[in-house]
Amino acid sequence: MTTLKEFQIRVIEHLSKLYPPSDLPSLCDELLKVMDIEDGGKVVPAHHNNWDENDIYLITYGDSVYQEGEAPLTTLQNFLTTHVGDSVSSVHILPFYPYSSDDGFSVIDYYQVNQSLGGWRHVEAICQDYDVMADVVINHCSARSGWFENFKNNKHPGKDFFFEADPTLDLSLVVRPRTHDLLKQVTTADGTKYVWCTFSHDQVDFDFRNPAVLIEFVSILKFYLDKGITIFRFDAVAFLWKIPGTSCINLVETHEVVKLLRLLVERQNPDAIIITETNVPNRQNLMYFGNANEAHAIYNFALPPLLINALTTGNCMHLKTWLMSLPPAQSGTTYFNFIASHDGIGLRPVEGLLEETEIDELINTMVNFGGKISWRALKDGSNQVYEINISLIDALSGTNKGKDKYQNQRFICAHTIMLAIEGLPAFYIHSLLATSNDYEKVKHTNQNRSINRHKWDYKKLNKELSNDFSQHKQILSRLLALIDLRKKQPAFHPNATQYTLHLGLKLFAFWRQCPNRKQSIFCINNVSDEAQSLSLADLNLIETDNWKDLIGDAEYNDLSQQIIMAPYQSLWLTNYHS
């Protein structure tokens, strides 16, 4: 136990790095009041894991499946119950609030559920079956929000919520994720002002230098906790704190805000998890772990482009080099692994990991498979490809030589790798369902990201999933079988030991061992379109153990034998059979 005074000291320590000393005691008291913290409570161990090998995430919009005459969140729950069951433990429902653009990430009201999806009772119903992750769109809100209307009319709350800047300032050092003008001119009751818009002119950035903004977001987090939500995705958090004359990304104050919010949230609910969404170069991304006192988990943004690069070139050198350099996450922290999401394949995370010529080849391959590209502005005024927009099933429809017959095998191999590496695995709903590029939606919205945001008519989807010859049914069945297999293996605990193996450039391999060392799993994946020979002697397997491939259900007693691995075949060789 800690006393209330001891806890207050910890809160004030973080606040002191953000706000004037005179404000700290009253601000601390207000934050504790909003979060309903009345005593010191229990100390949450810094290295306690709120996860194990049974934790699998599903990422979906509230209306990724819909049925006429029914609230989409009810349809989503029916889909989960009928087709997914307990294969997944957690569901990330992408922004389900009223919004004005960006498919939910331009939030109008953080305290409401978009009426077109349903209501809070529908979200709470899903919380009864799964751990639910909600987006905390913490960097910006909609230009049509009540707060921004108040800003324009010089009223509270909102009058001082948004970041303003002088348009004559030199802002050339600011890191940009988009190509539009950074500042937006706004007519207000106090005259013309210029507000900061990192992502679009419909998404106006908050000013966290104002402690009222911090208090508001603590109130939002407490509200979500009361609704049964226990996992929080801090969207675009890297851009949260701005200091003109700097890059305005990953500033020390931003890290301090995340540490403070974690401290408050886990004191209210020790089971809560904060995940930071920071689409930045790999080294910068790792900083959001702090010293096991910042994010519980970080998005492993380098994994999607590196894995797709390996599978389309048949060469795992860069993927292997990256895995070797990835530091083991301390207990109490872990990686959030995904290879597809509602956004595109970000290329910033592979800066310094892939050569420019290799990035260009990856872009060209994806464009040949029907992908789109999105751009960002550089300091010199030029533009650079920011992300590739494509569905994963289409991204893996061939190699850099063109499309081929191994699409499904390549797709399954990608997810087998994701399921096995250190961290929490997360499946985008359109990966589970092998949904192809949605060109009609791109045409309708004029947004490249819409290509991978298809909305399934639930009746049509059920028809596909009842057909054994349907690609959607075949992929879903194989992925669910792999998920259920993974969940039985203690060596796949998100924090289990991991070592990279060296078996050439065609076989991507690594070793996992559970915390009590009873189980080892050697994960070997042929990332090429040609059969490869694997010598079991190269793995240094313990001869006195009995080795079995969990995926193929084959036993190997002769450890000197050669195994011929088919294109994109994966092996999970283990000495422990649960």
Side-chain angles (χ1 to χ4, degrees), residues 315-476:
N315 185 328
C316 67
M317 179 181 70
H318 295 301
L319 182 64
K320 183 167 65 172
T321 301
W322 166 76
L323 194 71
M324 284 191 295
S325 67
L326 205 63
Q330 297 184 61
S331 287
T333 66
T334 192
Y335 295 99
F336 189 79
N337 295 324
F338 71 106
I339 48 179
S341 73
H342 60 291
D343 289 339
I345 303 164
L347 295 180
R348 289 218 66 205
V350 291
E351 292 176 7
L353 300 178
L354 293 180
E355 299 292 337
E356 288 298 323
T357 55
E358 293 171 316
I359 293 175
D360 289 342
E361 182 181 52
L362 177 62
I363 293 169
N364 290 334
T365 301
M366 295 300 99
V367 170
N368 288 338
F369 296 159
K372 308 286 184 180
I373 54 176
S374 297
W375 302 81
R376 75 182 188 98
L378 299 179
K379 297 173 186 177
D380 62 6
S382 64
N383 293 331
Q384 180 187 58
V385 176
Y386 178 72
E387 68 179 16
I388 305 166
N389 304 111
I390 190 170
S391 75
L392 187 62
I393 191 68
D394 287 318
L396 296 176
S397 59
T399 69
N400 54 7
K401 297 174 287 188
K403 293 187 177 182
D404 61 21
K405 63 182 180 179
Y406 294 116
Q407 180 183 39
N408 285 3
Q409 293 92 322
R410 194 178 291 110
F411 189 77
I412 295 297
C413 179
H415 287 95
T416 306
I417 291 171
M418 183 189 74
L419 280 166
I421 64 172
E422 177 184 346
L424 292 164
F427 288 80
Y428 186 39
I429 188 171
H430 292 305
S431 294
L432 273 185
L433 298 174
T435 309
S436 294
N437 292 334
D438 190 335
Y439 299 110
E440 283 299 314
K441 191 168 186 186
V442 173
K443 184 178 179 180
H444 176 71
T445 64
N446 200 31
Q447 297 293 324
N448 286 346
R449 284 180 167 179
S450 295
I451 200 169
N452 198 23
R453 297 178 178 180
H454 181 71
K455 294 183 180 182
W456 273 101
D457 180 306
Y458 193 38
K459 289 183 179 179
K460 292 182 179 179
L461 179 59
N462 276 327
K463 185 177 181 180
E464 290 289 341
L465 296 182
S466 64
N467 178 3
D468 290 339
F469 297 98
S470 162
Q471 183 186 36
H472 307 292
K473 170 65 178 294
Q474 292 175 357
I475 291 294
L476 177 62

Side-chain angles (χ1 to χ4, degrees), residues 533-554:
S533 178
L534 168 68
S535 173
L536 290 182
D538 290 340
L539 300 179
N540 293 319
L541 302 177
I542 299 173
E543 292 187 5
T544 55
D545 288 347
N546 296 316
W547 294 93
K548 176 182 178 181
D549 172 27
L550 294 168
I551 297 174
D553 200 31

Side-chain angles (χ1 to χ4, degrees), residues 280-308:
V280 295
N282 193 54
R283 188 180 297 271
Q284 297 173 24
N285 193 29
L286 292 169
M287 294 171 61
Y288 284 86
F289 278 143
N291 186 22
N293 64 343
E294 198 166 334
H296 293 90
I298 61 173
Y299 270 71
N300 221 344
F301 273 106
L303 177 60
L306 287 175
L307 182 51
I308 293 170

